[in-house]
Amino acid sequence: MSGRESSDTIKRLYHADNLVVLKQLVLEPSICGNVRLIYIDPPYNTGTDFECRNQEFAYSDRFTTSEYLSFMKDRLILMHQLLAQDGSIYIHLDSKMVFHVKLLMDEIFGENNFKGLITRKKCKSKNYTKKTYGNISDYILFYTKSDNPVWHRPYDAWSKEKEDKEYPFIEPETGRKYKKVPIHAPGIRRGATGESWRGMMPPPGKHWQYTPDKLDEMDAKNEIYWSSNGNPRRKVYLDESNGIPVQDIWLDYLDINNQNTHQTGYPTEKNLDMLKRIIEASSNIGDIVLDCFVGSGTTLVAAEELGRQWIGVDVGDVAIATVKERLANGSKRLSELSKPQVVQSSLFDDESNLLENEVEYIKDINYDFYEYSAD
C-alpha cells in the first residue's frame, strides 16, 4: 500500500467488552452491512487462565458450556448484522467447542452458508499424550452471509518436485511442460458431446468433455496428444496453471514457537501468513475487516499490510497494550520480549514499508477508543 489514506478510512482499536462495541457499530450506517470479512479467535472454553511470555495475566477462559454458548450467540447475531451481503466470517476454535459453535452458526447464518471446516496444524508432533492421539490441530469454521461472497481462490506455488510429478512431459516444439488428461467424462449425453468424433464414440457410459467442433479446434492447435494406438488425450500446460488450489487442511501455519520468529509474547498469537491468506481470499483492497477478539493484533497487522480498513476490539488490558506496542514498534524476537518497551511515533516498524500514522486517543463513556489515521 502506498500513498496517503483518505480522511474517512476506518482504522479503529476499541478497548472494551466487544458486545458493547458491536451494538454501537450496528448503529453506524457506514459500517453496519459493510464489513466484508470477520475473523475471530475467541476463547475456547478451556477452563484455564492464559499468561503472556513474561507471566503477566492475559485473560481467563472459564465458562460453563451454557454460559459459553450464550456468550457466543449474543455476539454472533450482531456480527451477522454487521457483515455485508457478500461478506464472510471465519471462527477459529479447538475441538472442544467447534461443533457446538457450528450449530449456532447454522442457526444464525444458515446451514447453506457453511463453506467449510479448515483443519490447521497448530504445533509440532507431541510425543507424550494421556491414552489418546497427539493434539496438533485446531479448526476454523468458514461461513458466508449469502451464496455469492467475495472470493479469490488461493493457490500454493508449485515446487520443483510436485511440478515434475504432475507435469512430466515436455512438448518438443515449444519446450512447454504438460500433463495428459482424458477428454471424456462420466455420464451419457444425447447432444453433440455424445456423438462420434474422428470415427470413435466416447467410452461406454461416458461423453466427450467438448463438442466435436471444439475438439477439432484443439487438435489443430496441437493441444491433443495421440497415443501410438490412436487414443486421444488433452494436453494441460503448466504455464497455464495458477498454482496448486489450496485445500482445507493447512499444515504451514503453526503457532509461533521459534526463538528466532518475531512475536508479541501474547499467549494465543496466530500466524500472520495465515491471516493474510484468509484476508486475501475473502476481501478486496479497501474493504473493512473486523476482529472483535483481537488479542495480539495479528488480524489488524495483516489487514493493514494488505491495504484493508480494519476494526479491532478487545476487553483485555494486556491485549490492548500488546496491540498498541505492536502497531507502534512491530513484534520482537522471543529473547527481546523481556526488555523494556518504548513506543515510537510510527504506527508500524520500518520493515513493513507502510504509512506512518499518528494515534488519536478518544475517551468514551462506554469504552476506550483508539482511532488510527494518516496525518
Side-chain angles (χ1 to χ4, degrees):
M1 186 172 62
S2 61
R4 297 186 67 82
E5 303 283 352
S6 63
S7 59
D8 57 353
T9 296
I10 295 171
K11 294 182 182 181
R12 302 181 187 174
L13 174 62
Y14 290 89
H15 186 184
D17 182 336
N18 55 17
L19 186 62
V20 174
V21 177
L22 292 172
K23 288 179 178 179
Q24 179 64 35
L25 293 176
V26 165
L27 301 178
E28 292 193 40
S30 62
I31 294 176
C32 189
N34 292 308
V35 174
R36 194 78 62 218
L37 171 63
I38 298 173
Y39 167 87
I40 57 172
D41 181 26
Y44 291 178
N45 194 19
T46 60
T48 58
D49 295 331
F50 286 85
E51 295 180 342
C52 296
R53 288 280 185 181
N54 61 3
Q55 283 75 56
E56 186 176 11
F57 174 81
Y59 67 93
S60 178
D61 184 16
R62 298 176 183 273
F63 299 85
T64 66
T65 299
S66 61
E67 288 172 344
Y68 182 83
L69 294 177
S70 177
F71 171 89
M72 289 297 296
K73 183 174 184 178
D74 290 345
R75 288 154 177 80
L76 289 170
I77 289 171
L78 294 168
M79 288 183 233
H80 183 266
Q81 292 179 255
L82 289 168
L83 204 60
Q85 281 299 117
D86 56 358
S88 301
I89 180 170
Y90 293 72
I91 307 176
H92 206 142
L93 297 160
D94 68 4
S95 58
K96 184 173 183 180
M97 283 293 143
V98 66
F99 303 109
H100 297 71
V101 174
K102 185 186 185 304
L103 293 176
L104 281 182
M105 292 297 292
D106 286 346
E107 176 187 343
I108 297 167
F109 283 77
E111 293 180 40
N112 293 336
N113 290 324
F114 170 64
K115 298 302 179 185
L117 178 68
I118 298 163
T119 300
R120 181 193 70 128
K121 183 179 179 181
K122 65 181 180 179
C123 61
K124 296 178 181 178
S125 298
K126 297 178 178 180
N127 294 322
Y128 175 77
T129 58
K130 294 183 178 180
K131 297 182 180 180
T132 188
Y133 305 101
N135 174 21
I136 62 170
S137 62
D138 55 20
Y139 307 93
I140 305 174
L141 288 166
F142 173 28
Y143 279 77
T144 59
K145 193 168 181 176
S146 70
D147 59 1
N148 188 32
V150 169
W151 176 246
H152 308 290
R153 186 170 190 173
Y155 295 87
D156 286 326
W158 288 102
S159 67
K160 185 65 168 61
E161 181 182 1
K162 289 183 178 179
E163 176 184 303
D164 291 343
K165 184 177 180 180
E166 186 72 13
Y167 294 86
F169 307 105
I170 298 177
E171 194 172 63
E173 303 89 342
T174 63
R176 298 171 74 190
K177 300 187 72 170
Y178 70 94
K179 61 182 176 180
K180 306 167 189 175
V181 300
I183 59 172
H184 50 70
I188 298 173
R189 301 290 185 271
R190 302 191 182 279
T193 58
E195 298 175 353
S196 173
W197 176 64
R198 300 287 177 92
M200 67 181 78
M201 294 295 292
K206 297 185 178 181
H207 66 279
W208 303 121
Q209 290 189 34
Y210 308 93
T211 63
D213 288 346
K214 179 64 175 176
L215 290 172
D216 282 336
E217 180 184 328
M218 293 168 67
D219 194 26
K221 295 179 179 178
N222 196 31
E223 294 175 358
I224 300 292
Y225 172 86
W226 293 90
S227 68
S228 58
N229 62 357
N231 187 21
R233 291 285 188 272
R234 181 168 65 96
K235 295 179 182 178
V236 177
Y237 295 96
L238 172 63
D239 57 24
E240 295 178 347
S241 169
N242 291 320
I244 306 170
V246 170
Q247 307 300 302
D248 62 5
I249 297 179
W250 295 359
L251 302 177
D252 300 325
Y253 299 122
L254 274 61
D255 285 338
I256 296 172
N257 55 13
N258 190 301
Q259 292 279 345
N260 294 318
T261 302
H262 281 74
Q263 56 186 286
T264 65
Y266 196 78
T268 55
E269 180 177 350
K270 293 299 182 286
N271 187 293
L272 179 62
D273 290 333
M274 182 187 74
L275 265 298
K276 287 182 177 180
R277 168 178 282 181
I278 290 171
I279 290 171
E280 288 182 316
S282 293
S283 69
N284 298 313
I285 291 175
D287 284 344
I288 301 173
V289 176
L290 169 67
D291 184 347
C292 57
F293 294 90
V294 80
S296 68
T298 303
T299 304
L300 309 190
V301 173
E304 177 71 20
E305 291 188 7
L306 295 172
R308 273 62 169 177
Q309 302 181 80
W310 47 261
I311 300 171
V313 188
D314 207 292
V315 71
D317 295 343
V318 171
I320 294 300
T322 300
V323 177
K324 291 174 69 178
E325 163 65 21
R326 186 177 189 179
L327 295 180
N329 295 323
S331 53
K332 295 174 172 57
R333 297 186 191 280
L334 180 60
S335 59
E336 298 176 315
L337 290 175
S338 60
K339 297 179 181 179
Q341 309 298 318
V342 179
V343 177
Q344 306 296 332
S345 60
S346 62
L347 177 57
F348 288 85
D349 62 353
D350 293 337
E351 294 178 355
S352 65
N353 294 317
L354 298 175
L355 294 175
E356 290 191 351
N357 296 263
E358 291 188 356
V359 180
E360 181 182 3
Y361 174 76
I362 301 173
K363 185 74 173 180
D364 187 275
I365 57 172
N366 294 316
Y367 44 72
D368 290 347
F369 170 67
Y370 311 84
E371 185 165 20
Y372 295 82
S373 60
D375 197 17

